[in-house]
């Protein structure tokens, strides 16, 4: 069980690493360029894995509905968005926002399909409270920096 | 290596690349006045909304990929998604570059490892398949995956790893992030329990 937990944690690290590397490439060029490299390199890597590992026939995918093929379209846009956000807000806040967005869409989906659990709504409210609080705290820490700077200027 | 880090033509590129510069840059060691950053705040409503929107996009993408995986395997589905994603990203890049007036553009040189983001990204599919269908289960897997992301993010922000800006969180900011994580945990547990 401990191994499984470590694997899941490692999975999270891989996701974070992927976004940071894309962010670094986006810093040098732009988010669209990063999205292209991310998908291209991933495609080559997964092609290798598919050759090396036993897998079901590719032809089976042809039976899937058309919309199921469009995950990559959303994925390309996602990497563009994420690369821009990570450069502006940092890795931690970016990850938390993406996680919150994921859970938020889960709640929205349930809202349409079935009844929403009140606890889910509580979770959403708490998330948004956290987002608003972060904005406030950032404003405060900037104010404090300004105050320190002023103090130093008056001393000299 | 040091030569690569010197930004070429940065002044022209930066404004369109990053309308808002990251704030909270920690001054390098000394606290001389010139090095204290007083840039406009980064956590604008727009940036926060873009982050959340990214999460919505990710949820949609995962839903679509899971649908495709039913007709093959998670690995096959991710392979297709990366292939389609490459084509779409190429198209997007072409359109954006043309609007900027020319397909070629001088980029600042990026270190070689910055091009490898796709590797850990694709590897998550393998790791995900290993834990989700195991004794650990789906919701616990998701919770630990999220925890891994956040812990890794905290370390990287603190150290400024991989060429990212160093960000030192104030206690208040840390508390606000903890509130967000708590909300995420509640939403996750409630969703799975429903």
């Amino acid at each position: 069980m401990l191994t499984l937990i470590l694997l899941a944690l490692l999975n999270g690290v891989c996701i974070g690493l992927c976004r940071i590397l894309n962010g670094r490439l986006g810093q040098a060029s732009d988010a669209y360029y990063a999205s292209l490299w991310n998908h291209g390199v991933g495609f080559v890597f997964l092609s290798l894995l598919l050759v090396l590992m036993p897998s079901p026939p590719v032809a089976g995918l042809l039976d899937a509905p058309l919309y199921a093929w469009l995950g990559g379209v959303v994925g390309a846009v996602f990497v563009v968005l994420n690369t821009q956000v990570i450069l502006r807000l940092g890795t931690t806040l970016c990850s938390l926002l993406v996680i919150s967005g994921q859970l938020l869409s889960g709640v929205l989906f349930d809202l349409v399909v079935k009844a929403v659990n009140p606890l889910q709504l509580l979770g959403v409210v708490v998330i948004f409270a956290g987002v608003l609080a972060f904005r406030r705290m950032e404003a405060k820490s900037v104010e404090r920096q300004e105050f320190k700077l002023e103090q130093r200027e008056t001393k000299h | 290596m040091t030569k690569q880090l010197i930004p070429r033509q940065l002044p022209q590129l930066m404004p369109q690349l990053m309308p808002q510069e990251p704030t909270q840059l920690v001054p390098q060691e000394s606290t001389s006045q010139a090095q204290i950053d007083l840039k406009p705040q980064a956590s604008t409503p727009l940036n926060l909304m873009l982050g959340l929107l990214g999460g919505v996009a990710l949820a949609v993408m995962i839903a679509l990929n899971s649908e495709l995986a039913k007709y093959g395997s998670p690995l096959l589905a991710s392979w297709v998604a990366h292939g389609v994603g490459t084509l779409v990203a190429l198209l997007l890049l072409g359109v954006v570059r043309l609007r900027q007036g020319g397909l070629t553009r001088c980029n600042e040189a990026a270190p070689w490892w910055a091009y490898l983001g796709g590797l850990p990204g694709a590897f998550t599919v393998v790791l995900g398949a290993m834990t989700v269908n195991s004794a650990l289960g789906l919701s616990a897997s998701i919770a630990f995956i999220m925890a891994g992301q956040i812990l890794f993010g905290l370390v990287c922000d603190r150290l400024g790893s991989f060429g990212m800006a160093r960000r030192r969180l104030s206690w208040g900011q840390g508390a606000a992030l903890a509130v967000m994580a708590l909300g995420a945990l509640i939403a996750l547990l409630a969703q799975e329990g429903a």
Side-chain angles (χ1 to χ4, degrees):
Chain A
M1 185 57 94
L2 186 65
T3 320
L4 290 173
I5 290 177
L6 286 177
L7 279 177
L9 284 172
L10 180 68
N11 195 341
V13 170
C14 278
I15 292 173
L17 188 62
C18 168
R19 294 182 189 161
I20 285 195
L21 295 186
N22 288 335
R24 180 64 188 85
L25 188 56
Q27 209 174 46
S29 179
D30 65 14
Y32 303 94
Y33 192 67
S35 182
L36 177 62
W37 272 93
N38 175 71
H39 285 91
V41 170
F43 183 72
V44 172
F45 179 62
L46 287 170
S47 303
L48 278 176
L49 280 186
L50 281 176
V51 172
L52 295 175
M53 285 161 70
S55 69
V58 185
L61 295 175
L62 293 174
D63 296 332
L66 182 67
Y67 68 84
W69 283 74
L70 301 181
V73 179
V74 186
V77 176
F78 167 72
V79 176
V80 170
L81 270 178
N82 198 77
T83 301
Q84 281 170 343
V85 173
I86 205 170
L87 286 174
R88 294 175 192 175
L89 297 182
T91 314
T92 314
L93 183 55
C94 178
S95 298
L96 269 168
L97 285 172
V98 170
I99 288 168
S100 302
Q102 270 178 279
L103 292 165
L104 188 67
S105 22
V107 175
L108 286 178
F109 183 76
D110 284 357
L111 203 63
V112 177
V113 176
K114 54 177 185 178
V116 171
N117 183 334
L119 261 182
Q120 276 179 289
L121 289 182
L122 173 70
V124 171
V125 171
V126 174
I127 287 172
F128 275 105
V131 173
L132 291 178
F134 189 90
R135 253 177 82 65
R136 266 216 104 97
M137 291 305 168
E138 194 180 60
K140 271 194 179 164
S141 78
V142 170
E143 267 170 32
R144 218 174 295 130
Q145 274 185 328
E146 269 165 7
F147 179 66
K148 273 186 198 161
L149 196 65
E150 270 170 26
Q151 272 189 327
R152 201 169 294 131
E153 271 167 4
T154 47
K155 251 186 233 170
H156 287 300
Chain B
M1 283 306 273
T2 47
K3 206 175 179 185
Q4 285 187 338
L5 291 174
I6 299 167
R8 273 185 286 130
Q9 299 185 330
L10 209 54
Q12 298 98 314
L13 288 179
M14 281 324 251
Q16 40 175 234
L17 254 180
M18 296 200 295
Q20 283 103 357
E21 293 263 321
T23 61
Q24 297 293 105
L25 298 175
V26 176
Q28 299 284 321
E29 303 306 326
S30 95
T31 47
S32 81
Q33 287 174 20
Q35 286 175 326
I36 291 181
D37 272 291
L38 290 173
K39 286 176 186 148
Q41 289 179 58
S43 70
T44 58
L46 175 70
N47 286 345
L48 293 170
M49 289 306 291
L50 283 179
L52 287 172
L53 192 66
V56 174
L58 191 60
V60 172
M61 189 192 85
I62 290 174
L64 294 177
N65 280 355
S66 316
E67 186 63 28
L68 190 59
K70 286 180 195 164
Y71 297 85
S73 67
L75 199 63
L76 265 182
S78 183
W79 177 68
V80 169
H82 275 84
V84 173
T86 306
L87 295 178
V88 174
L90 194 63
L91 203 71
L92 280 175
L93 186 70
V95 171
V96 171
R97 288 286 193 272
L98 277 179
R99 285 188 60 182
Q100 287 171 350
L103 279 176
T104 51
R105 192 176 101 176
C106 281
N107 296 323
E108 181 196 341
W112 61 270
W113 43 261
Y115 291 89
L116 301 182
L119 288 185
F123 197 54
T124 51
V125 186
V126 183
L127 285 173
M130 284 165 84
T131 55
V132 169
N133 300 314
S134 73
L136 193 58
L138 180 65
S139 52
S141 291
I142 295 176
F144 282 112
I145 290 170
M146 290 174 174
Q149 278 179 60
I150 294 167
L151 292 176
F152 183 71
L154 284 169
V155 172
C156 289
D157 275 345
R158 179 83 191 187
L159 301 176
S161 322
F162 304 103
M164 297 277 105
R166 256 206 285 173
R167 286 156 216 266
R168 193 168 290 168
L169 294 174
S170 68
W171 284 105
Q173 284 173 311
L177 290 180
V179 170
M180 283 177 71
L182 179 71
L185 193 65
I186 293 174
L188 176 70
L189 293 177
Q191 200 172 1
E192 297 303 321

